[in-house]
């Protein structure tokens, strides 16, 4: 049975909740009541599910006993945890890659214990000191993966494949979050990385908001959608207002509700269905009352974007969708050409 607007699983990102309390204690070490308070707030905002973003709780660093306690807490609140997003722990970090790889393996094991369907990883690294000074950190360039470095690319492929194989052993999808200036920073590079890894359970998390918010020239969002959605299995969704004055080399962005920003998600989702996407969705927002905006984003998706009935034609994805297995890989050019043709006709 295909998902509909009523049944499509949508999670709330937990970006608004800090990883330490007022005393400096990490939330991993807090009483379970502190976890319950956050999860209840998310539920009260209208969400049945949360994306366990590890900038809040780090499930990969919880003991087996505390992980069981966290699972019981979520069940008591009555909120699902189908996804973990592990961020800024790149497995090709020059110094910390081995530690980050081990942490990523522990996160996959924790996801299996929690009954998650997806774990999302990325190659982005910690925000720099200069970025931390800004109102919006993305207005200053941060870490960049080395372009044209075959050894580093090969390490990314090998280490992410290792994680993908582990995830497959425990029945979990691996999703790779797109992020600027990494090997997941352009549509073509992201698709190539998934193809080089070559595992059906490894796909993309096409977080295009991370790319359209940059204060510099960007790829056309429609082209990125057409290229990446055939290889996507999870989706962080947010939007930004964007203004460009190319003659003056001026680019300005700011966070916006999903229905108000540059990306037309109504259009993008029609394309997603045409290429077989049935992944879990996650609504995000930076700034202000981010939880309330993510809640309004969920309402927008269910009201205006997601299919109202199961009577829609679902295409064939190039990667597994949890409940749907791919029939086999097809060449990237043909998959992207078909997607681009569909998007042009929307």
């Amino acid at each position: 049975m295909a998902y509909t607007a009523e049944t499509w699983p949508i999670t709330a990102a937990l970006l608004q909740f800090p990883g330490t309390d007022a005393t400096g204690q990490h939330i991993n070490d807090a009483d379970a009541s502190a976890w319950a308070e956050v999860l209840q707030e998310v539920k009260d905002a209208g969400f049945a599910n949360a994306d366990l973003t590890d900038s809040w709780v780090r499930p990969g660093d919880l003991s087996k006993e505390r992980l069981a306690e966290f699972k019981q807490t979520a069940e008591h609140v009555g909120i699902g945890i189908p996804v973990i997003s592990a961020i800024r722990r790149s497995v090709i970090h020059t110094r910390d890659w081995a530690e980050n790889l081990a942490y990523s393996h522990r996160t996959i094991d924790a996801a299996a214990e929690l009954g998650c369907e997806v774990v999302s990883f990325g190659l982005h690294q910690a925000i720099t000191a200069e970025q931390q000074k800004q109102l919006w950190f993305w207005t200053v360039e941060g870490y960049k993966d080395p372009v044209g470095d075959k050894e580093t690319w090969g390490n990314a492929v090998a280490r992410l494949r290792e994680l993908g194989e582990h995830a497959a052993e425990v029945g979990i999808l691996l999703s790779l979050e797109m992020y600027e200036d990494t090997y997941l920073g352009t549509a073509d590079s992201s698709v190539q990385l998934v193809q080089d890894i070559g595992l059906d359970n490894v796909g993309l998390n096409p977080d295009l908001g991370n790319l359209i918010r940059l204060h510099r020239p960007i790829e056309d969002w429609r082209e990125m959608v057409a290229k990446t959605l055939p290889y996507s299995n999870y989706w962080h969704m947010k939007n930004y207002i964007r203004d460009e004055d190319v003659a003056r080399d001026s680019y300005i962005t700011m966070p916006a509700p999903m229905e108000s920003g540059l990306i037309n998600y109504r259009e993008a989702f029609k394309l997603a269905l045409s290429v077989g996407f049935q992944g879990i969705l996650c609504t995000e927002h930076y700034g202000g009352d981010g939880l309330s905006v993510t809640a309004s984003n969920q309402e927008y998706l269910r009201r205006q974007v997601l299919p109202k009935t199961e009577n829609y034609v679902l295409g064939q994805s190039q990667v597994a969708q949890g409940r749907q297995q791919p029939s086999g890989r097809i060449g990237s050019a043909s998959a992207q050409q078909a997607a681009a043709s569909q998007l042009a006709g929307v």
Side-chain angles (χ1 to χ4, degrees), residues 22-264:
T23 68
Q25 175 183 246
H26 195 276
I27 196 68
N28 270 36
D29 300 320
D31 187 82
S33 62
W35 300 339
E37 183 178 352
V38 167
L39 296 175
Q40 186 65 53
E41 191 172 347
V42 172
K43 183 180 179 182
D44 289 345
F47 287 95
N49 297 286
D51 176 311
L52 184 48
T53 317
D54 74 348
S55 55
W56 181 53
V57 169
R58 295 195 300 260
D61 286 341
L62 289 174
S63 67
K64 186 174 183 179
E65 293 74 22
R66 291 235 76 191
L67 189 63
E69 188 177 11
F70 184 89
K71 183 177 182 180
Q72 292 169 0
T73 301
E75 290 173 348
H76 178 73
V77 171
I79 193 164
I81 308 290
V83 183
I84 297 173
S85 285
I87 60 176
R88 303 191 184 281
R89 299 293 289 265
S90 172
V91 296
I92 54 172
H93 189 285
T94 303
R95 182 187 66 250
D96 299 333
W97 71 266
E99 179 183 342
N100 291 347
L101 182 62
Y103 171 79
S104 299
H105 277 295
R106 295 197 304 272
T107 300
I108 291 171
D109 286 334
E113 289 291 326
L114 291 172
C116 298
E117 181 176 307
V118 183
V119 176
S120 177
F121 292 118
L123 294 175
H124 40 309
Q125 300 189 15
I127 295 174
T128 67
E130 188 62 30
Q131 286 179 310
Q132 292 175 9
K133 298 176 184 178
Q134 313 304 314
L135 174 61
W136 306 121
F137 65 84
W138 55 83
T139 61
V140 174
E141 291 187 355
Y143 167 82
K144 297 182 179 181
D145 283 340
V147 177
D149 187 325
K150 293 183 179 179
E151 180 179 0
T152 305
W153 177 274
N155 286 336
V157 170
R159 292 165 191 170
L160 291 171
R161 182 185 293 135
E162 177 184 323
L163 293 175
E165 289 171 344
H166 180 185
E169 290 172 359
V170 294
I172 287 174
L173 299 180
L174 203 70
S175 197
L176 305 179
E177 180 181 353
M178 295 179 66
Y179 195 92
E180 76 265 17
D181 296 326
T182 70
Y183 293 146
L184 293 158
T186 68
D188 288 338
S189 178
S190 298
V191 169
Q192 188 63 58
L193 188 61
V194 168
Q195 291 177 331
D196 286 1
I197 292 168
L199 299 176
D200 287 337
N201 71 311
V202 179
L204 292 176
N205 170 358
D207 192 342
L208 303 185
N210 289 340
L211 306 180
I212 69 161
R213 70 188 178 191
L214 301 177
H215 284 206
R216 61 191 198 231
I218 60 171
E219 295 180 79
D220 185 281
W221 70 265
R222 294 176 181 83
E223 294 180 4
M224 290 193 286
V225 165
K227 291 178 178 179
T228 62
L229 261 298
Y231 295 88
S232 297
N233 58 7
Y234 180 52
W235 200 347
H236 282 176
M237 308 177 94
K238 55 180 177 281
N239 219 341
Y240 294 80
I241 293 173
R242 181 177 177 88
D243 181 61
E244 297 185 359
D245 187 340
V246 177
R248 293 180 173 83
D249 194 30
S250 174
Y251 305 90
I252 303 296
T253 68
M254 61 189 69
M258 281 177 59
E259 60 188 313
S260 305
L262 177 68
I263 299 171
N264 181 346

Side-chain angles (χ1 to χ4, degrees), residues 20-21 48 87 114 280 308 322:
T20 56
D21 63 19
I87 60 176
L114 291 172
I280 298 170
K308 296 298 189 293

